């Protein structure tokens, strides 16, 4: 039986201030909501995460709404034509990061190009790749599609907990329940957490437990 997707796609994101979820939805909608409702000081404290993987997403909220949207990670099928003046600084920074990666990791130009094509800063992509490799429990060739999906959802839930819930009551117990595949205990613990975060973890847990 095919499972329903947890979210609308890889560009569905959630924005948090501390433990509280401020917005959730398509990245363009979330970016505009944050820009229109928060002050610059408040924007500096907001963390944005990919809903499916819990990977952090860096958003540059400076400038006009059009400038903010122009700097979002490239959407599937976009041509990348046009660039705002503010956006040029972002690309300059990414070029410097790529040069540093080339020097430190001895990456080939084709590898740098692949990293830059992932829609996020190369450093975040590399950290996500390392984290995923470390979290794997079974060799890929011996893992069924269902096991792979369960493991990916469990890893995403763990990343969200580590990033957003370390100070919440029952955090360690929730992590333990996640590792022990105890769905009932996990959901009971997170039910007392802030609603937005709890809903996000509940969606991930739908695929995290067998």
């Amino acid at each position: 039986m095919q499972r329903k997707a947890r979210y609308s796609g890889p560009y569905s994101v959630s924005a948090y201030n501390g433990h509280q979820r401020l917005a959730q939805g398509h990245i363009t909608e979330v970016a505009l909501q944050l820009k229109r409702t928060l002050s610059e000081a408040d924007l500096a404290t907001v963390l944005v995460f990919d809903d499916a993987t819990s990977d952090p997403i860096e958003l540059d909220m400076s400038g006009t709404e059009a400038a903010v949207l122009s700097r979002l990670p490239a959407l599937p099928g976009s041509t990348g034509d046009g660039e705002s003046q503010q956006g040029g600084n972002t690309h300059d920074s990414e070029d410097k990061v790529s040069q540093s990666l080339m020097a430190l990791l001895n990456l080939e130009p084709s590898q740098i190009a692949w990293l830059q094509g992932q829609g996020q800063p190369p450093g975040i992509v590399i950290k996500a790749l390392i984290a995923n490799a470390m979290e794997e429990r079974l060799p890929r060739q011996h893992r069924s599609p269902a096991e792979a999906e369960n493991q990916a959802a469990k890893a995403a839930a763990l990343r969200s907990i580590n990033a957003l819930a370390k100070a919440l009551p029952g955090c360690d117990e929730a992590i333990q329940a996640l590792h022990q595949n105890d769905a009932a205990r996990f959901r009971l613990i997170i039910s007392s957490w802030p609603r937005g975060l709890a809903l996000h973890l509940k969606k991930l847990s739908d695929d995290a437990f067998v």
Side-chain angles (χ1 to χ4, degrees):
M1 178 178 179
Q2 186 177 5
R3 300 188 182 191
K4 295 181 180 179
R6 292 187 298 274
Y7 293 100
S8 60
Y11 294 96
S12 178
V13 303
S14 290
Y16 292 87
N17 186 351
H19 305 138
Q20 300 297 327
R21 186 166 70 176
L22 304 177
Q24 189 276 323
H26 193 278
I27 189 170
T28 56
E29 298 171 352
V30 170
L32 287 176
Q33 180 177 338
L34 296 176
K35 182 67 177 176
R36 292 168 179 173
T37 59
L38 299 181
S39 66
E40 289 187 11
D42 289 335
L43 285 172
T45 67
V46 172
L47 298 176
V48 180
F49 297 90
D50 184 299
D51 278 329
T53 66
S54 295
D55 289 330
I57 298 175
E58 293 183 2
L59 300 184
D60 184 348
M61 303 298 290
S62 61
T64 65
E65 291 182 5
V68 170
L69 294 180
S70 74
R71 293 189 295 263
L72 294 179
L75 299 179
S78 64
T79 62
D81 293 338
E83 179 181 280
S84 69
Q85 182 176 357
Q86 294 92 331
N89 294 333
T90 299
H91 288 291
D92 289 343
S93 298
E94 290 182 355
D95 288 342
K96 292 178 181 178
V97 170
S98 296
Q99 293 170 5
S100 298
L101 288 172
M102 177 78 79
L104 292 174
L105 303 178
N106 196 29
L107 296 178
E108 298 293 335
S110 60
Q111 295 170 323
I112 292 291
W114 181 87
L115 286 172
Q116 290 179 322
Q118 299 309 299
Q120 296 188 39
I124 289 181
V125 177
I126 288 177
K127 286 191 289 186
L129 290 172
I130 293 174
N132 289 338
M134 293 175 64
E135 290 159 355
E136 288 182 346
R137 295 293 184 267
L138 294 172
R140 286 185 180 273
Q141 60 269 28
H142 296 150
R143 184 180 299 170
S144 70
E147 289 172 329
E149 185 176 359
N150 290 339
Q151 189 61 32
K154 192 170 293 185
L158 184 60
R159 282 193 289 272
S160 287
I161 292 173
N162 284 329
L164 300 165
K166 294 297 287 185
L168 292 176
C171 176
D172 291 339
E173 290 79 5
I175 292 175
Q176 185 180 45
L178 193 62
H179 287 311
Q180 294 177 346
N181 208 35
D182 190 339
R185 184 173 171 226
F186 178 81
R187 289 167 182 155
L188 177 62
I189 294 170
I190 67 172
S191 65
S192 65
W193 291 0
R195 184 173 183 273
L197 177 58
L199 288 174
H200 170 65
L201 291 172
K202 171 63 171 61
K203 285 181 178 293
L204 291 176
S205 73
D206 288 342
D207 283 339
F209 298 108
V210 178

